Amino acid sequence: MRHQLRFTGVGGQGVLLAGEILAAAKIKAGGYGVKAATYTSQVRGGPTKVDIILDDEEILYPYANEGEIEYMLSTAQVSYNQFKGGVKDGGIIVIEPNLVTPTQEDIERWDMYAIPIISIAKEEVGNVVTQSVVALGVTVEMTQVLPNDLVYETMISKVPPKFIELNKTAYDLGVKYAKEAKERGTIKSIADVEAMKAKDICEMVK
């Protein structure tokens, strides 16, 4: 089965590295996985995206088909605005509510969830660099595209031994917040986004 995912942010945000781990996990499972990064600006802070294709059959074209992407995670307004159009109607979009605000039209078009990924990494894990692993946990729980254990094992194999526990915490928190988001349901209005900014959502799930 073919899956098309997208991570968007800005240059310097580690959240985009989650795509590499997903592709590696699919390959480890015996399938095919590719990631294709696009940097629209070579300077730090420019909009970036990473498309991830996961398939049981050989992948002949590495980029996602615009309008067919089933899931997008975004941690920057500029990249959200630029790349959201590639998500199919009714697809899932996860936003960092402290950095991305959708329009009401967006909320009605896609199944949207707000999870403060960067704030979780910085304040709960204690290291903002782990945002990519928090995003990974969120994505696996939201999409179920790969077995949780497989992705976790792949992620651990790519980090230095001294950082394993830190990244385990980040991954588990990503899964936890995604489960809580699904239980609350999709965003219905801009007011919902405001209510889910870092401090509020952290209190909700403790």
Side-chain angles (χ1 to χ4, degrees):
M1 185 173 182
R2 183 179 179 88
H3 295 287
Q4 301 184 78
L5 316 177
R6 174 170 286 175
F7 290 83
T8 69
V10 294
Q13 285 184 326
V15 69
L16 303 179
L17 297 176
E20 180 178 344
I21 297 173
L22 278 174
K26 182 64 176 179
I27 293 170
K28 187 174 181 179
Y32 295 86
V34 298
K35 72 174 182 70
T38 299
Y39 299 87
T40 57
S41 173
Q42 294 303 310
V43 298
R44 187 180 182 87
T48 61
K49 73 175 173 71
V50 173
D51 289 346
I52 305 98
I53 311 298
L54 308 174
D55 207 333
D56 296 326
E57 305 293 333
E58 185 176 0
I59 299 167
L60 302 178
Y61 181 69
Y63 289 94
N65 295 323
E66 296 297 314
E68 297 180 11
I69 295 165
E70 62 199 76
Y71 172 89
M72 185 176 86
L73 183 147
S74 187
T75 56
Q77 189 73 52
V78 63
S79 58
Y80 170 80
N81 292 342
Q82 186 165 341
F83 301 121
K84 65 184 180 180
V87 181
K88 68 180 184 180
D89 289 350
I92 297 172
I93 296 182
V94 175
I95 60 168
E96 214 310 349
N98 299 287
L99 299 172
V100 178
T101 300
T103 65
Q104 187 61 41
E105 182 181 358
D106 294 345
I107 292 170
E108 294 170 2
R109 180 178 178 183
W110 295 296
D111 289 343
M112 302 199 70
Y113 299 87
I115 302 176
I117 293 160
I118 295 176
S119 297
I120 293 167
K122 183 178 180 180
E123 299 171 15
E124 295 199 47
V125 184
N127 190 330
V128 71
V129 174
T130 63
Q131 62 185 275
S132 61
V133 180
V134 175
L136 185 66
V138 168
T139 298
V140 173
E141 177 60 33
M142 280 287 181
T143 64
Q144 304 288 308
V145 293
L146 288 168
N148 188 62
D149 290 346
L150 173 63
V151 178
Y152 175 78
E153 290 170 5
T154 304
M155 181 271 294
I156 290 300
S157 72
K158 292 182 174 294
V159 301
K162 65 179 180 179
F163 295 124
I164 286 178
E165 287 303 315
L166 188 71
N167 282 282
K168 180 180 185 300
T169 298
Y171 188 86
D172 289 345
L173 281 170
V175 172
K176 171 187 174 183
Y177 274 88
K179 287 181 178 178
E180 291 288 337
K182 289 194 296 185
E183 289 177 4
R184 286 192 303 273
T186 57
I187 297 167
K188 303 301 182 186
S189 67
I190 302 300
D192 288 345
V193 179
E194 292 298 315
M196 293 178 188
K197 290 185 182 292
K199 292 183 179 180
D200 295 324
I201 195 170
C202 289
E203 288 300 318
M204 290 172 67
V205 299
K206 285 183 178 177

